[in-house]
Structure formats: C-alpha cells, structure tokens
Amino acid sequence: MSDRPVEVWRLPEEEWKAGRRAVTWTVGPDGELAVLVVPEQCTAPAGSWPEVRFPYEAEVVVTGPRGEWRVPLSGVDCSPDHLALLPGGRLLLVEARAEQDGEEWRPNGFVYGPDGTPGRELLLGDDTPVLVTDRDGRIWMAYGDEGIYGDHPMSCAGLRGADTHGRVVWSPDHRKDLPGYPLEGLAGATEGRSAWLAWYPGSSGSYLTRIEAADGTSSTVPCPVRMPVGFAVRAREGVFLSRGGELTWHLLVGKQWKQTGKRRPDVPGELDRRRAYGRDGALWFRSGNGWYRVEA
C-alpha cells in the first residue's frame, strides 16, 4: 500500500491561461475521471451559488483507461452541483436544490447522451450534498437537513437509491437498518456492486452505511472520521480524507475502525474540501487544478 497520492490529471496550463475553469467533477465506477470545464465568463463570483451564469457552454473532459475524450454541452441552464457518469457514456448533471412550481416539484437531474445531446429529466430530491452512481446506473444519494425535514418525498428518508428514471430502488427501514435518523449526508463511495454512504444523525458521531445493490440489504458501522470529505473502502481497509486536509488509513475490526496510518497530502494547490470519491479502494480528490488518487 502506497500512502503517497498520485496525480491523475491536471487542467492544461494553456487552457487555464485561455480562461477555462474546472467547476465540478466526479469519478465513474470504472475509474474514469470526469471534469466539467466552462469559460471564465460563464462563472459567477467566488462563493456564489450557483457557480455559473445561465445559460452556459461547457465541456466534460473524461480521462480513463480508454484515454481522454471530451463531451460538449451547449445552452446548459442547471446548476452543476453534481456531475456523474452513467452506463453507455451518458452524463448526469444534478442541482443540489430542487424548486417547486406550485405544488409540483421541478426536475433537478438532467441526463445527456455520449455526444452531449439533452435527454431524460429526473426528480432526485431536494438538498443533496452527496450523489454517486454505480456501474449499473443506480444513483445513490444522502440528503441534508433541509431536504430531510422539507416537503420533497425523495429526501425524507435521508438516504436513497434511484434508477436512471428517478424511481426509488432502495431506502432504509430506520427502525432496523440505521442507528439513528440521518440529518446530513457527508460522502459516497462504491466497492464492486456495493454502495457506501457516510452521514451523521442529530446525535453525536457519524456512520457508514453499506448497501448491497443485488438484494437491498444494508449494514452500518461508525465512521472513524467525523466529517469526511470522501473515503474509499476495499474489503476491510479504508482511507479517509478529513475536512481538515488529513488522510488517514483504517482497518475494520469487527464493527470498529482501527487507525493504521495518517499523513497530509503533499500536493500543490488548494484542497477541494467539498467532495472526494471512493472507487474500489481508491480515493480520488482535487487540489488546485490537479486531481489525485491514493489507495486504501
């Protein structure tokens, strides 16, 4: 196991100098890094929400085992809070917040074809800080308190799994599946055909819930990091990135994690403290204009 992050991709300097900015990003189930890049004139002032001005032009740069390719998106008018990859080369853009039109909720998930053509629109819930897709196209989400205690029917369970039509395929039975009622989602990861969601309840502590997609069963263990930006799990080994910017490695013994190592990532740039993704034991994170991975 190497505890040193490896750089996977960097926004080319010539693109940065030409005024192109990376807004959001994700990692696909098979280890494809996808970065949404927009012209600087389409971005909003730092700290604004949304991060872009509508409508905007964008390009999704995908780097994976098959090389690098780019998907142009034109006239986009949704906030790029989440980017995800779906089977068949499709893309998914999701707004973290959903809006109502009278009593009806507007779609906040937008599917694009491999060539960037707009496709299906989905209702995926309100206040969604965590969203990750698996290799079969399921969408796994953990919601925030405004969604959980709001009126959107998708968000009230705290944790959800949906298909590419937006239909619910999994939600927890809170009486037997979880040690508390979720209050805030923290991070998500996949491991083989399993999905992991990190969250915390109204009481102290935070948790990791593993969902077996094949039969919908789940198990939950305490999370060793109170507020992880992201994490990755391989069998009983895990690596976690804290919001303080520290990487820690842990071994799951029974239902408790034992710390086996820690270090601060020695990489240039400012660390993205909002998101990191775990795929089959590899944790991907961003710092400045570079993207890195480190193994559990």
Side-chain angles (χ1 to χ4, degrees), residues 6-21:
V6 175
E7 184 175 291
V8 178
W9 187 77
R10 176 170 294 275
L11 181 68
E13 185 176 357
E14 59 269 23
E15 294 197 41
W16 171 260
K17 289 181 177 179
R20 290 167 61 78
R21 300 291 181 260

Side-chain angles (χ1 to χ4, degrees), residues 138 140 169-170 193-194 210-219:
R138 286 175 287 260
W140 300 96
V169 296
W170 178 84
R193 300 289 178 179
S194 302
R210 176 177 178 167
I211 305 107
E212 304 294 343
D215 58 11
T217 58
S218 66
S219 58

Side-chain angles (χ1 to χ4, degrees), residues 103-211:
E103 295 185 358
E104 298 294 323
W105 288 95
R106 296 177 182 174
N108 63 326
F110 305 89
V111 178
Y112 293 86
D115 61 352
T117 302
R120 182 178 294 131
E121 298 182 351
L122 310 176
L123 291 168
L124 292 175
D126 183 34
D127 191 12
T128 314
V130 177
L131 184 146
V132 63
T133 54
D134 66 22
R135 62 188 54 180
D136 296 311
R138 286 175 287 260
I139 306 162
W140 300 96
M141 295 160 287
Y143 298 96
D145 59 347
E146 292 185 46
I148 294 168
Y149 293 98
D151 298 323
H152 201 298
M154 281 284 287
S155 306
C156 60
L159 312 176
R160 289 281 198 197
D163 63 16
T164 51
H165 291 268
R167 298 172 298 206
V168 174
V169 296
W170 178 84
S171 60
D173 182 337
H174 296 91
R175 293 171 298 179
K176 65 177 183 178
D177 292 340
L178 303 179
Y181 206 95
L183 180 65
E184 187 74 25
L186 298 171
T190 59
E191 181 196 10
R193 300 289 178 179
S194 302
W196 289 82
L197 294 172
W199 56 278
Y200 67 78
S203 57
S204 62
S206 54
Y207 295 93
L208 296 173
T209 294
R210 176 177 178 167
I211 305 107

